């Protein structure tokens, strides 16, 4: 029943913006961590941003601080990653993740995952 569908990736020039969406079904947005990971070829998967309604915690990777913002729409059951001032090094497949009962500094990556959406930033 639980499903995450992430979308919104594409090709953008450096300095541009994209907004990624993660539509959730079968989940409530109470007591849950919601976040984004990314993985580029040959690089380790990394956490990008997270928000938790379980413990009120937030996380933003230093490499995207001040440029990326995570947000929640409780009505649409969707959470977002607004990405501004994009750089070529932001190129990766981005995945949304959610886990019930976890905070952003716990192992929420063992929850539910979207299929991934490709973000490519040209120089």
């Amino acid at each position: 029943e639980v499903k995450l569908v992430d979308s919104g990736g594409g090709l953008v020039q450096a300095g541009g913006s994209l907004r990624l969406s993660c539509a959730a079904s079968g989940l409530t947005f109470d007591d849950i961590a919601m976040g984004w990971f990314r993985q580029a070829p040959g690089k380790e998967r990394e956490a990008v941003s997270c928000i938790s309604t379980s413990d009120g915690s937030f996380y933003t990777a230093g490499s995207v601080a001040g440029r990326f913002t995570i947000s929640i729409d409780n009505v649409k059951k969707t959470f977002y990653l607004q990405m501004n001032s994009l750089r070529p090094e932001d190129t990766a497949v981005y995945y949304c993740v959610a886990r019930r009962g976890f905070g952003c500094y716990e192992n929420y990556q063992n929850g539910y995952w979207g299929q991934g959406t490709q973000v490519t930033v040209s120089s």
Side-chain angles (χ1 to χ4, degrees), residues 2-85:
V2 175
K3 185 177 181 180
L4 302 181
V5 179
D6 41 26
S7 62
L11 175 64
V12 64
Q13 290 187 327
S17 298
L18 288 171
R19 188 174 75 163
L20 307 184
S21 299
C22 184
S25 60
L27 288 170
T28 64
F29 280 10
D30 292 332
D31 193 24
I32 190 169
M34 296 163 281
W36 295 88
F37 283 76
R38 68 185 182 186
Q39 188 162 28
K43 296 182 66 177
E44 185 178 345
R45 186 184 68 212
E46 63 175 338
V48 176
S49 190
C50 174
I51 184 169
S52 175
T53 57
S54 178
D55 63 4
S57 58
F58 291 83
Y59 172 79
T60 304
S63 59
V64 306
R67 300 188 296 120
F68 291 11
T69 304
I70 192 168
S71 62
I72 303 168
D73 187 326
N74 287 305
V75 175
K76 291 183 170 62
K77 293 294 190 292
T78 301
F79 62 98
Y80 305 92
L81 186 68
Q82 178 66 47
M83 306 186 296
N84 298 324
S85 301

